[in-house]
């Protein structure tokens, strides 16, 4: 079931209504059942994979707590849990990639064999794998008590608003809230509906329409002139942002309807002045996950520069691999890590003085924002390309096909949609749509709501376009 579907438009109100009608003691069961239905709407049998990881991590948490005075045994249970969970992730997400490359390697040495394995990736596997691992690690560290109620732990992993595309929640936030009794609050309903409406707009109107142009250009980049290919790259930057941001915003709103606060995953990342700031504003739940469970344990920044650079590259390469089993994703992650290191070196060795006037500082900030956006957009070409051949074709077409006789893409309506979104992103840089609406005049709020509904109905595509991050 996807958020931008008729099924979800029926499913969500029913769940929210049942939530408030049922007593607290029965809500966990209803939400868990609803989450199972939500997940099984895609491929029912894959819920068994999710159940296996849930059972393993649930038992590991209890066994670690029981052996809190036996550090070695406690650590053993943590390792068993993490290895088991990562093994499931490896088999379904990376085994095909590894066997395919082993087959190619054997061919280089004249050995003809076919080791390739093709397994369908369960939706959201990377997300709920990392969410389960955060629980196990926090219990091991003593920051989280083990959850002894199997139903509540299962609901923590399977909570439907953020089950398949995040944000990746920590037990200290979501698991705690699931135990709290929630009461009907009109403010929660109002804010939840605002977020869902805004999320549907940026997904169905902005992202999906930009995707039509992006798909045409990536399919045959050599047939378009360079300006059109550059435009396609820019459109993809905003397509993937609006697609993922739209999902996260609908997830926030869906949870808010029932009084649950889940984590913000984006804070206007394209207004960042550096790659480091970009990753503090983009997919925040994943960035902080790698920070807390990989970067800091490796030594973080409290080490010599060469070790710090190594830590950064490890984190970004792992982040690239997390997104997908392909060399392009690994290369994309490595490029971001390398640029992060280069930026730090340049900043450390910069000899220029900071401008003393506001105009001077704003000008520098604007240049840095433009620089960061251009670099991120170029890196998205690696991310979007199916292989290195397509990536090469895109870059060649982007910088060598200035022939005016080649095809030109002019989708004027997309500039309108994109302009409205960019304006909203600037306005909401330090806030969120539901909070921004608070205190605004009633007439203004309802004019905005009416405009969003009108554009969703009139300007969105006919078919339901899947969310991009479903594949991860």
């Amino acid at each position: 079931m996807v958020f931008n579907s008729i099924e979800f438009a029926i499913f969500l109100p029913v769940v929210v209504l049942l939530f408030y009608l049922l007593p607290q003691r029965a809500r966990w069961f209803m939400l868990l059942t609803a989450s199972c239905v939500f997940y099984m709407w895609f491929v029912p049998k894959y819920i068994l994979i999710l159940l296996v990881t849930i059972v393993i991590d649930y038992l590991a948490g209890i066994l670690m707590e029981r052996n809190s005075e036996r550090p070695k045994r406690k650590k053993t249970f943590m390792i068993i849990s993490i290895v088991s969970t990562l093994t499931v992730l490896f088999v379904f997400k990376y085994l095909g990639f590894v066997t395919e490359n082993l087959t190619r390697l054997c061919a280089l040495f004249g050995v003809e064999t076919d080791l390739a394995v093709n397994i369908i990736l369960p939706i959201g596997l990377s997300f709920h794998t990392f969410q389960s691992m955060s629980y196990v690690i926090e219990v091991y560290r003593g920051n989280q008590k083990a959850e002894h109620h199997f139903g509540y732990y299962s609901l923590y992993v399977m909570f439907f608003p953020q089950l398949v595309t995040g944000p990746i929640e920590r037990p200290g936030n979501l698991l705690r809230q699931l135990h709290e009794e929630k009461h009907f609050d009109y403010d929660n309903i109002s804010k939840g509906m605002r977020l869902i409406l805004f999320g549907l707009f940026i997904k169905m109107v902005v992202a999906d329409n930009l995707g039509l142009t992006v798909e045409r250009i990536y399919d045959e980049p050599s047939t378009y002139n360079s300006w059109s290919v550059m435009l396609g790259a820019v459109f993809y930057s905003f397509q993937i942002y609006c697609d993922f941001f739209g999902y996260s915003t609908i997830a926030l709103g869906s949870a808010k309807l029932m009084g649950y606060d889940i984590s913000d995953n984006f804070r206007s990342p394209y207004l960042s002045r550096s790659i480091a700031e970009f990753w503090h504003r983009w997919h925040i739940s994943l960035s902080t996950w790698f920070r807390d469970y990989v970067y800091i344990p490796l030594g973080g920044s409290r080490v010599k520069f060469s070790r710090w650079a190594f830590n950064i590259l490890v984190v970004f390469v792992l982040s690239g691999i997390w997104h997908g089993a392909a060399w392009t994703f690994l290369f994309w992650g490595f490029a971001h890590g390398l640029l992060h290191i280069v930026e730090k070196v340049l900043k450390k060795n910069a000899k220029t003085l900071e401008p003393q006037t506001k105009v001077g500082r704003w000008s520098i900030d604007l240049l840095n924002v433009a620089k960061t956006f251009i670099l991120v957009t170029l890196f998205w070409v690696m991310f979007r390309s199916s292989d290195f051949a397509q990536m090469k074709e895109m870059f060649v077409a982007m910088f060598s096909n200035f022939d005016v006789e080649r095809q030109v893409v002019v989708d004027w309506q997309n500039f309108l949609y994109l302009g409205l979104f960019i304006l909203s992103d600037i306005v909401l840089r330090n806030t969120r749509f539901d909070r921004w609406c608070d205190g605004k005049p009633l007439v203004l709020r309802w004019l905005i709501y009416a405009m969003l509904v009108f554009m969703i109905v009139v300007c969105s595509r006919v078919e339901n376009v899947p969310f991009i991050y479903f594949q991860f």
Side-chain angles (χ1 to χ4, degrees), residues 71-90:
K72 289 185 178 180
R73 185 172 293 185
K74 181 180 178 182
K75 187 174 184 179
T76 299
F77 287 125
M78 181 197 67
I79 292 172
I80 291 173
S81 173
I82 291 177
V83 169
S84 300
T85 304
L86 288 178
T87 299
V88 173
L89 181 64
F90 173 80

Side-chain angles (χ1 to χ4, degrees), residues 85-306:
T85 304
L86 288 178
T87 299
V88 173
L89 181 64
F90 173 80
V91 169
F92 284 91
K93 188 167 185 175
Y94 302 105
L95 183 59
F97 172 71
V98 171
T99 54
E100 179 184 345
N101 281 276
L102 283 175
T103 299
R104 292 177 179 177
L105 183 63
C106 290
L108 290 176
F109 292 96
V111 179
E112 294 297 328
T113 184
D114 185 8
L115 302 173
V117 175
N118 186 21
I119 303 176
I120 298 176
L121 176 66
I123 290 177
L125 184 60
S126 297
F127 287 92
H128 50 71
T129 294
F130 271 34
Q131 188 152 311
S132 296
M133 287 174 61
S134 69
Y135 166 79
V136 171
I137 295 171
E138 291 302 319
V139 172
Y140 173 76
R141 290 177 174 178
N143 300 327
Q144 173 68 38
K145 291 184 178 180
E147 177 56 65
H148 289 257
H149 192 293
F150 183 72
Y152 274 109
Y153 177 71
S154 301
L155 181 57
Y156 159 71
V157 177
M158 294 192 63
F159 189 49
F160 75 87
Q162 46 82 228
L163 172 59
V164 294
T165 314
I168 303 168
E169 284 295 338
R170 306 293 179 86
N173 180 42
L174 181 56
L175 190 53
R176 170 187 56 81
Q177 290 187 74
L178 294 176
H179 282 280
E180 296 173 353
E181 185 170 359
K182 303 293 182 180
H183 301 283
F184 180 84
D185 186 342
Y186 174 77
D187 189 54
N188 286 335
I189 301 297
S190 175
K191 289 183 176 181
M193 292 302 296
R194 291 173 191 171
L195 289 167
I196 292 171
L197 182 61
F198 187 59
L200 288 172
F201 164 73
I202 59 181
K203 160 59 180 173
M204 298 176 68
V205 177
V206 186
D208 290 353
N209 281 299
L210 292 177
L212 288 172
T213 301
V214 170
E215 193 171 340
R216 294 206 310 269
I217 291 175
Y218 269 85
D219 283 346
E220 295 181 301
S222 60
T223 63
Y224 295 94
N225 67 24
S226 293
W227 301 113
S228 293
V229 178
M230 290 179 188
L231 181 63
V234 171
F235 276 10
Y236 181 70
S237 288
F238 282 100
Q239 181 201 0
I240 192 170
Y241 174 30
C242 292
D243 191 278
F244 197 8
F245 182 33
Y247 185 98
S248 297
T249 304
I250 298 169
L252 285 169
S254 300
K256 191 67 176 176
L257 291 176
M258 295 172 284
Y260 297 112
D261 292 306
I262 59 177
S263 306
D264 289 321
N265 223 6
F266 295 91
R267 288 198 297 267
S268 302
Y270 290 156
L271 297 178
S272 304
R273 291 161 294 183
S274 66
I275 290 295
E277 185 182 354
F278 171 79
W279 281 103
H280 282 99
R281 293 176 171 272
W282 174 275
H283 202 172
I284 299 168
S285 62
L286 180 66
S287 300
T288 54
W289 196 98
F290 275 114
R291 179 198 66 196
D292 295 342
Y293 302 129
V294 179
Y295 178 67
I296 292 177
L298 284 174
S301 58
R302 292 184 292 183
V303 291
K304 60 182 181 180
F305 179 81
S306 58

